Each structure stands twice: as structure tokens, then as C-alpha cells.
Amino acid sequence: MAKSKENRIVVTLACTVCKSRNYTTSKNKKNNPERMELRKYCNTCREPALHRETK
Ligand SMILES: [Zn+2]
């Protein structure tokens, strides 16, 4: 039987420039307790922008 992965959660990444929620990803809550920040392409800004974890 598979163990439940309680520490694995889904997070939404929003563009810090236009606030669009462009990406969802999963992270390990135990390994990454801080808010994730990733530089990704934003379709609204039409350029790479910093995306931050939201709830
Ligand atoms: Zn944007």
C-alpha cells in the first residue's frame, strides 16, 4: 500500500508584475517551507517575470 504524501502540496504561482496566476506546481512542504519564487514566462506580460507562490 502506498504511503500518503502529506508534505507534498499543490501551489499556484502568480506573476509578480501583473498578478496573473499562470502556473501550478507541487512542492514538498518540509523541504520548502518558504514561498517559492520562480522566473517563468508570463503570457500576459509577454516576457519572463518572477512568479511567486500564492494560496
Ligand atoms: Zn505577468
Side-chain angles (χ1 to χ4, degrees), residues 2-27:
K3 288 180 183 175
S4 65
K5 296 187 173 66
E6 296 172 10
N7 294 316
R8 200 96 202 143
I9 60 163
V10 176
V11 295
T12 305
L13 298 179
C15 174
T16 54
V17 180
C18 67
K19 314 297 181 192
S20 289
R21 296 181 175 198
N22 300 315
Y23 298 96
T24 56
T25 186
S26 63
K27 72 167 187 177

Side-chain angles (χ1 to χ4, degrees), residues 15-20 22 42-47 49-51:
C15 174
T16 54
V17 180
C18 67
K19 314 297 181 192
S20 289
N22 300 315
C42 176
N43 281 317
T44 308
C45 299
R46 293 185 191 168
E47 60 183 31
L50 190 67
H51 287 67

